[in-house]
Amino acid sequence: MTATGRPVRFWYDGQPVEGLEGETLAAALAASGIRELRHTRSGERRGLYCGMGACFDCLVTVDGRASQRACLTKVAEGQQVRSAMPAGTAEDPLQPLGPEAATEPARREVDLLVIGAGPAGLSAALAARRAGAGVLMLDERLQSGGQFYKPLAPSHRAATPADRQFADGLALEGEARAAGVAIEQDAQVWAAFSANEIGALVGGQAHVIGCRQLVIAPGAYERPVPFPGWTLPGVMTTGAGQTLARAYRVAPGQRVLIAGNGPLNLQLAAELLAGGAEVVAVLESAARPSPRQWRQVWTAARTAPDLLRDGWRYLRRLRAHGVPVIWGTAVLAAEGPGRVQAVQTTRLDAQGRAVPGTAQRFEADTLCLGYGFIPSTELARMLGCEHRLADRHLGYPATVTREDGATSLPGVFVAGDGADLGGSRVALARGTLAGAAAARNLGLQATEPAEALGRLQQAERFQRALWSLYAAPPVRLAEIPDDTLLCRCEEIRFGDVREQIRAGRDTLAALKRNTRLGMGRCQGRYCAVTAARLVGELTGRPPEVEQYFAPRPPAKPVPAGALGFEKPEWGGHKPAITPNLARPVVVETFAPMRTEVLVIGAGVLGSCLAYYLSRAGQEVTVVDRDDINLQASGANAGSLHVQLLSFDFGARAQAGGGPAAATLPLGPMSVKLWQQIEADCGEDLEIKITGGLMVADSEAGMRFLETKAALERSHGIEAEVIDGAALRRLSSALSGELLGAELCPMEGKINPLRATYAVARRAQQQGASLLRGCDVQAIERLPGEGAGFEVRTSRGTIRAGRIVNASGAWSSAVGAMLGVKIPVQGAPLQMIVTEPAPPLVDHLIAHADRHLSLKQAASGGLLIGGGWTAAFHPDMRLNRAERSSIEGNLWVARRVLPAVSGLHMVRCWAGMNVNIDGAPILGEVPGVPGFYNAVTSNGYTLAPITAKLVADLIAHGRTDIDINPFRIDRFL
């Protein structure tokens, strides 16, 4: 095996580095002894970790293009590579991540689409193609083979494959190509919108793939193993170390310690020794197999004798080089500073506890961790395929499939380790079965491959025997110190999460909103299962699939500029009916109870009502069908709007724009109340009143702004229209094509992930009660004047003197329980967030002619929205962004702020707006004494003032301002 790639020179942080054409930046940097790559917000450095493009810890800037994964990006002559992101200035701009998108995504139609070119995907594609199906295979890497086959990189060449694993991978790929399978490399599948509509970037260009059948074979990634120092450069997964060694012939370090569970670690150790590296030791968390396990050894020998021989060969090589294999041992900590220099270890007892007095310390510059895998279920969950919880390792969602990979959705198959863990031979057999089944669904003659069924049964018997021999003690998160990082991307520590769980924020959704856990580029891959296990350990509740983070596009971050396409505009929000989304929350039932005031809905409005009512001395109970702050409020982007949105004025406005105009005085009042709440709570709610800019790119748009600003000034809103030159002096990163803007100084932003919880906590401190998992099912008026109401919920019955309907888009359903027609509809809409960026915009940005809301959060990410519609997905039971809305929203954002093209979209989610006539519905309902409405669109901005007005009505019977324009009477 020889290096055949042309030598190239590139620069890393100003220093020349030698590399080989065809190898990755990560490989070239590792060969030069460079470990430190990405900078975190706290100033720490990160290095290569997963080695497969899933963790996003090896990000670098390449020729001005930010956030390039060093493990996937190839070296080139003269590259300028930096560890830091560009400053985003004129002198150091964010370069576009690719060519500007065309007018529409490219479209392709195929019989069968296979996602992933590992063992399962290749075997599925081959079986279907042999049956006559037209097959397209998409794979993210530049070479087929996946994590298992790991083909030799183009920088090297061998006359013959070095071992059977290389040979088998090359042979399978060759068979697939020879049979006519179309394989597209460098193809990132970023979303699955339905079983026959897949979004992908192929060579950086947006594609929409229509398919009659779909096989998802994305493989798995190595599970996280947190301990102090696990984020130091030099700590990486076994897979990353093996990729460097096998594919690029580069040792991951000079003194390598390998730790984990399973035979893959022995293979890596043997391969490193063969390449000349020094292996300090191999630590295996399972206990040494005993003679009593002879049956398992015998089963393994009968079902896969070649693999057993491989294992003995690895052990012989380790013994020959004096490398100890230490059983029943795990890592306690990795020590720095700056990069790993030593590793502390301990023996484990059968319960996974550290055995006192067994600590050891190994000098090592590299620590490779291989403790098992987690299936990549993102696309299957995005489609709404049924999942279950597997209890292996930390536990994880696994796709429910039949033997042939068929899922709960017709025409969708999931094969290999992307469904559940089984190893390469199980994946090969299941892939063949899936490909044949998909071909039969297409009406082709494809007999069920009996040979594959036999191989599958044999491989599964081997897997059961193997993992009986390698049975590791249970994971014990209680042993991990509080200051250890749990979430690598957002730098969230175990102590932070434990504190939240003990305070009652004990679901993954609540933890995410309160700590930002799982909001980083890896999208929860390396923290979600750990956090779920931690919740279970501290609460005693087993995790449930529905409690995991909702699957959202993109499956991995994608260049935002590649997905922007112009779409038709419309007026206002598109109304839609969304059913009751109550999920099971494990809480106790209660005996019949009483309260003076019952608030239905624990979003921001319900929390503010609890705050103001309890402050006024009222006994108040807030109920929510799920957890606090989960629907509209928790999915809100946090804009504080004071001026009218473009579709609330002029020809597109509902009810002629009069109701929306009547709300104008409420905006400044509510912003001031938010500031008072922040001071009272004693927490930083990230309120920034930096002003709002509604931009225009046409003369018609400028005239629209002039007329709108005049109306707003007549209602006491400070507003002025500025020209393009003044606009760029205020916000230099905005497009030079913009002609001007309306400036409204009172606008700004707030962090909705903090504010709702802070208000709710303060309300509870004042005596309010909040009950979650309390789905209101019926309301009955009690006989007698002032007798109040009896409310039946999923947890018990509540008698209340008065009820406040604060259930947002579902307010009409609550009203219907009392025979009250409330003209409110939901308007599911989407939001987009980019990766953290350098400071680009300080203002809240909107557009005169387009649906757009854009701002930069304290975390650095750009929050992009503006009313683009989302839709309810029945299989997932949640609202989800639609492809056309994502494309249209990004197109507008890119035209207003060109730097968007230099950033990756990290997440796109759907929230729920309230669609009325432009004005709130407040106050007591005529004919139903004691029943109040507190319902408003622009809900996050107006929540404090809306809540205060209703609280004043309840507590004092009056308000300081005239609310007649907002009463429900206007609809009668």
Side-chain angles (χ1 to χ4, degrees), residues 715-950:
H715 283 273
I717 303 297
E718 185 181 353
E720 66 171 313
V721 176
I722 59 176
D723 63 15
L727 173 61
R728 274 172 284 286
R729 286 195 295 271
L730 277 178
S731 192
S732 60
L734 296 180
S735 170
E737 302 296 315
L738 298 173
L739 301 184
E742 178 186 352
L743 170 62
C744 182
M746 272 297 291
E747 290 200 310
K749 53 198 172 186
I750 189 171
N751 186 343
L753 304 180
R754 291 190 177 183
T756 304
Y757 292 103
V759 177
R761 279 194 294 273
R762 190 71 183 101
Q764 288 173 301
Q765 291 166 3
Q766 294 171 170
S769 297
L770 273 75
L771 301 175
R772 62 179 177 166
C774 201
D775 188 21
V776 172
Q777 297 168 340
I779 306 174
E780 181 182 347
R781 292 175 65 184
L782 297 174
E785 187 175 345
F789 306 86
E790 183 171 277
V791 181
R792 191 175 74 245
T793 80
S794 56
R795 292 183 60 187
T797 301
I798 303 172
R799 287 200 170 190
R802 282 166 288 192
I803 291 176
V804 185
N805 179 12
S807 47
W810 292 271
S811 294
S812 57
V814 172
M817 295 179 188
L818 287 167
V820 177
K821 184 177 180 180
I822 303 175
V824 172
Q825 289 181 293
L829 50 83
Q830 72 166 34
M831 275 72 68
I832 293 169
V833 66
T834 71
E835 63 187 319
L840 294 171
V841 290
D842 205 26
H843 298 79
L844 173 62
I845 309 296
H847 198 290
D849 301 310
R850 305 279 186 177
H851 281 71
L852 178 68
S853 172
L854 186 152
K855 56 189 168 293
Q856 190 159 17
S859 63
L862 295 177
L863 292 166
I864 304 170
W868 289 84
T869 189
F872 179 68
H873 192 294
D875 291 314
M876 296 171 66
R877 288 203 72 249
L878 50 77
N879 288 309
R880 192 183 68 173
E882 297 190 292
R883 178 178 59 81
S884 61
S885 290
I886 296 171
E887 293 169 349
N889 208 171
L890 288 174
W891 184 86
V892 178
R894 188 184 70 205
R895 282 176 59 88
V896 170
L897 183 66
V900 166
S901 293
L903 297 169
H904 291 82
M905 176 173 70
V906 171
R907 188 170 58 260
C908 183
W909 73 98
M912 178 65 77
N913 201 45
V914 178
N915 202 54
I916 313 177
D917 62 350
I921 301 175
L922 306 181
E924 195 171 23
V925 176
V928 191
F931 182 59
Y932 294 77
N933 281 308
V935 189
T936 180
S937 50
N938 195 10
Y940 221 91
T941 302
L942 298 182
I945 187 62
T946 301
K948 188 175 187 306
L949 290 171
V950 174

Side-chain angles (χ1 to χ4, degrees), residues 261 284-288 326-332 345-359 371 470-479 533:
N261 177 221
E284 170 57 56
S285 60
R288 182 188 296 274
I326 307 174
W327 297 83
T329 300
V331 173
L332 272 180
T345 71
T346 184
R347 296 283 182 136
L348 300 175
D349 65 17
Q351 285 71 47
R353 291 185 293 256
V355 177
T358 62
Y371 282 86
Y470 273 97
V475 176
R476 295 179 57 86
L477 299 180
E479 313 289 330
R533 178 64 170 256

Side-chain angles (χ1 to χ4, degrees), residues 390-402:
D391 59 4
R392 189 169 170 185
H393 307 315
L394 287 166
Y396 53 79
T399 311
V400 176
T401 66
R402 297 201 300 263

Side-chain angles (χ1 to χ4, degrees), residues 582-593:
R583 298 180 305 167
V585 179
V586 183
V587 285
E588 297 177 353
T589 58
F590 50 74
M593 60 181 290

